Amino acid sequence: MSYAPSAAVLERIDRAVAAYPERSAALLPVLRLIQEESGWVPPAAEVWAADKLGLNPVRVREVLSFYTMFRRRPAGRTVVQVCRNLSCTLAGAEEVIAALRRELGLGDGADTTADGAVTLVAVECLGNCDHAPCLQIDGVDRGPVTRDSAAAIVRELRGR
Amino acid sequence: MSQDTVRLIPSDEGSWRLDAYLRRGGYEAARKAVTSMAPAGIIAEVRKAGLRGRGGAGFPAGLKWSFVPQGVSGPKYLCVNADEGEPGTFKDRAILVRDPHRLLEGMVIAAFAVGIHTAIVYVRGEYERIAGRLREAMAEAEGAGFLGPDIFGSGFGLEVVIHFGAGAYICGEETALLESVEGRRGTPRLKPPFPAVAGLFRAPTVINNVETLANVPSIIGRGADWFTAQGLPKDCGTRLFSVSGAVRRPGLYELPTGIPLRTLIEDHAGGPPEGVSVKAVIPGGLSAPVLRADELEAHLDFESMALVCSMAGSAGVIVIGDRTPMLEVLGVMSRFYAHESCGQCTPCRIGTSWIHRTVTRIAAGQGRRGDLDLILSLADGIKGRTLCPMGDAAALPIQALVTKFRDELEQAVER
């Protein structure tokens, strides 16, 4: 299995590399751009990135596995990050998470719907605590979310 | 708030655009600094203002700048900490969204004062969308000659790069942030050497929080004396208080340092909702040791908070109502630190996970006598025994919570 980014992404990757005095410093932006296009960072892309930046592949793996926003498995077409830190928990985040999981039909331990439409991830603070409980849909902020609006959000996601 | 105080969060329409910022007097301070002041004079003014770091540690910004060796050849860097990961804090977000030019102006002044030509803004990955405003502001400022190779026609240049994090609380720690910019795991470095001497790419580096830099234009524009007239003598100016949890009006409040916690919660944030009373308050982000309802007379500034064994930290105030079980708060707290420990130092890596497993077991109804002492002793084993401040940031709030709400937690253990 081999990996190659699209020409457009390759151009952005080259720009990112040029922004730093040392090639290896571009690793985070390179992984971010790969994930933006592919939805995750496949093993072949790790090798590609290592080669691109002149790194040992294990250096890519250690960074990929450290940062929680990087994905080493395919994700749904839409990614929902729902906050469960203190301000959101005080405002009912656990009920919201339970409602989202129920509406999405996620079984125990599953984070992606069977049709591959939505991935739901519970995360720590999103820095939007005055809108608790809050979440992000593909990086766009929403909140406060209630059990009822959770159901409406899932209907909206299904329609995408 | 009167017009004579710092206004970090503007409310005019389109406040983030250059024309709006110019109407508010924007870039006049940077013009003054770059075209008419000596770098040493700028640092002296910021030191005189006593501006303390708004990220959480409260270190004087001017002093930090003065640590960078002068007359040394080679690159130097300014890193702007926009990682804002401290739970309960959303102030830097507001500056990025509503006043990105103020941040850029502060960066130009800081860079000119220290002799820096490259700045990196480290923005947490979760803020990628809102950083679009910063990107637009950079383009506007460059177009107007306020940023780029020849600022105000002075020959002084500053290039700005945005670097996104990817979900790691520890990267808010300044040396972990440097590791992350260099393309590695965010594991803090041993100090010394301090970043001012050997930081990013081993070059002298200044690392400042977004809100800290956003205060700089007013200090240079209106003078240190104007700045020190607000807030407290040793902790001047205003702070952006992020208030969340059990209050009627959660939100961001810019107020002079040293205001009483009760005033912020009751008068500004509207107090707890109907039928709820305040049980506890976390005054400076999740890592700040909790205060009981009978400690709300304490004032919100670095020294007053230290006197009550807590900290002003990031000024993220989380209000906990009387219906919330403290075991739930402890569960969120212990999970967070177990999840966010970078794993480099054994006491923190093992200790935070062990504490969280113990708390989870208690929550599952399988508490054992001695569990709370176990948690306290594990926290004690972390405290002061790690390379970076996250060890204490995890241990101290957990110890405070268990100590101050011991009776309630004991009941949960023996349930």
Side-chain angles (χ1 to χ4, degrees):
Chain A
M1 221 168 52
S2 70
Y3 168 84
S6 67
V9 167
L10 184 60
E11 196 195 315
R12 291 172 67 195
I13 284 174
D14 286 332
R15 270 210 305 274
V17 173
Y20 298 88
E22 295 176 6
R23 289 179 80 77
S24 53
L27 182 53
L28 267 74
V30 167
L31 294 175
R32 198 169 57 84
L33 289 165
I34 290 171
Q35 179 165 297
E36 197 179 298
E37 180 170 62
S38 304
W40 62 305
V41 183
E46 291 181 45
V47 176
W48 184 89
D51 190 50
K52 179 85 186 161
L53 301 176
L55 295 168
N56 194 311
V58 73
R59 273 274 287 108
V60 177
R61 176 64 62 88
E62 67 171 19
V63 163
L64 198 57
S65 59
F66 183 83
Y67 296 93
T68 54
M69 289 176 79
F70 290 137
R71 287 188 294 274
R72 289 170 55 209
R73 286 183 300 145
R77 291 185 293 281
T78 301
V79 175
V80 180
Q81 295 203 101
V82 50
C83 177
R84 66 186 320 189
N85 206 283
L86 187 54
S87 305
C88 285
T89 293
L90 295 175
E94 292 304 328
E95 290 82 27
V96 167
I97 293 171
L100 287 168
R101 293 188 63 85
R102 198 170 51 241
E103 296 291 330
L104 287 166
L106 291 172
D108 283 348
D111 65 357
T112 301
T113 55
D115 60 359
V118 180
T119 291
L120 180 74
V121 199
V123 298
E124 299 301 346
C125 191
L126 290 170
N128 199 15
C129 323
D130 52 344
H131 293 84
C134 67
L135 50 78
Q136 284 189 343
I137 301 172
D138 286 339
V140 178
D141 291 302
R142 290 281 187 93
V145 183
T146 61
R147 263 180 299 185
D148 290 343
S149 66
I153 285 171
V154 170
R155 280 196 299 277
E156 176 196 325
L157 296 176
R158 284 253 160 77
R160 286 190 181 193
Chain B
M1 192 176 288
S2 83
Q3 276 197 325
D4 281 347
T5 54
V6 187
R7 287 296 296 268
L8 293 170
I9 303 298
S11 53
D12 51 320
E13 202 171 323
S15 62
W16 58 90
R17 302 211 176 280
L18 181 61
D19 54 354
Y21 188 57
L22 292 175
R23 278 197 297 275
R24 297 197 302 276
Y27 288 105
E28 284 308 315
R31 183 187 302 277
K32 175 180 164 186
V34 172
T35 61
S36 72
M37 288 177 80
I42 298 170
I43 295 178
E45 196 68 16
V46 174
R47 284 186 72 167
K48 191 175 160 205
L51 172 64
R52 297 181 64 166
R54 264 48 174 166
F59 194 83
L63 192 58
K64 214 179 202 181
W65 297 0
S66 72
F67 289 157
V68 174
Q70 291 303 313
V72 181
S73 64
K76 291 179 216 156
Y77 295 99
L78 170 65
C79 285
V80 181
N81 191 339
D83 195 46
E84 190 151 76
E86 186 62 39
T89 315
F90 44 89
K91 65 193 181 64
D92 297 335
R93 164 195 284 266
I95 293 171
L96 292 172
V97 168
R98 281 153 72 180
D99 213 0
H101 280 289
R102 183 180 290 274
L103 169 63
L104 291 173
E105 183 175 13
M107 287 164 59
V108 168
I109 297 169
F112 178 74
V114 187
I116 291 170
H117 301 289
T118 308
I120 286 122
V121 187
Y122 189 98
V123 179
R124 62 180 303 196
E126 295 85 346
Y127 285 3
E128 186 179 345
R129 293 286 174 139
I130 61 176
R133 290 262 170 93
L134 179 64
R135 214 184 280 284
E136 282 172 37
M138 281 160 54
E140 282 184 320
E142 245 177 86
F146 302 156
L147 208 61
D150 183 20
I151 297 172
F152 302 115
S154 66
F156 169 72
L158 178 66
E159 181 204 12
V160 180
V161 176
I162 299 178
H163 183 98
F164 288 106
Y169 169 69
I170 193 63
C171 290
E173 193 280 333
E174 59 179 18
T175 61
L177 183 151
L178 298 177
E179 287 290 301
S180 186
V181 176
E182 292 185 14
R184 285 190 291 273
R185 296 164 75 96
T187 49
R189 297 175 181 174
L190 189 63
K191 294 190 271 194
F194 287 90
V197 176
L200 190 62
F201 304 115
R202 299 159 301 283
T205 303
V206 168
I207 305 155
N208 285 140
N209 170 258
V210 169
E211 185 188 352
T212 310
L213 287 164
N215 269 291
V216 169
S218 315
I219 290 171
I220 294 304
R222 310 175 78 160
D225 291 336
W226 166 83
F227 188 76
T228 55
Q230 302 164 72
L232 302 178
K234 282 187 180 170
D235 187 354
C236 315
T238 62
R239 287 204 74 175
L240 292 171
F241 294 98
S242 311
V243 186
S244 65
V247 289
R248 284 196 179 87
R249 291 189 298 273
L252 199 61
Y253 298 92
E254 182 180 1
L255 295 162
T257 57
I259 64 145
L261 189 50
R262 184 181 298 284
T263 306
L264 175 66
I265 294 170
E266 305 270 333
D267 299 352
H268 294 277
E274 188 72 38
V276 176
S277 63
V278 175
K279 181 184 194 172
V281 177
I282 292 173
L286 195 70
S287 304
V290 69
L291 299 175
R292 287 183 312 255
D294 61 4
E295 295 175 294
L296 301 190
E297 305 310 323
H299 293 235
L300 285 163
D301 57 86
F302 289 111
E303 286 179 15
S304 303
M305 280 291 127
L307 287 175
V308 290
C309 300
S310 187
M311 59 180 196
S314 65
V317 177
I318 308 173
V319 181
I320 299 164
D322 58 343
R323 294 176 193 169
T324 300
M326 292 317 259
L327 184 63
E328 187 174 37
V329 178
L330 185 60
V332 170
M333 207 178 253
S334 62
R335 183 189 63 220
F336 177 72
Y337 294 111
H339 183 257
E340 299 297 343
S341 172
C342 81
Q344 186 173 218
C345 306
T346 310
C348 176
R349 181 183 67 244
I350 305 285
T352 52
S353 294
W354 195 340
I355 290 171
H356 184 52
R357 280 200 307 276
T358 309
V359 175
T360 305
R361 186 164 46 70
I362 297 170
Q366 287 159 6
R368 298 175 201 144
R369 191 165 302 228
D371 271 350
L372 296 181
D373 287 323
L374 172 64
I375 292 168
L376 289 174
S377 106
L378 287 166
D380 217 38
I382 300 171
K383 208 166 59 182
R385 294 184 170 86
T386 57
L387 213 145
C388 89
M390 202 197 109
D392 285 6
L396 296 172
I398 288 172
Q399 284 188 327
L401 196 84
V402 171
T403 307
K404 290 186 176 177
F405 295 92
R406 178 129 195 170
D407 289 349
E408 183 191 326
L409 292 168
E410 238 17 299
Q411 283 176 17
V413 171
E414 293 181 9
R415 190 181 51 198

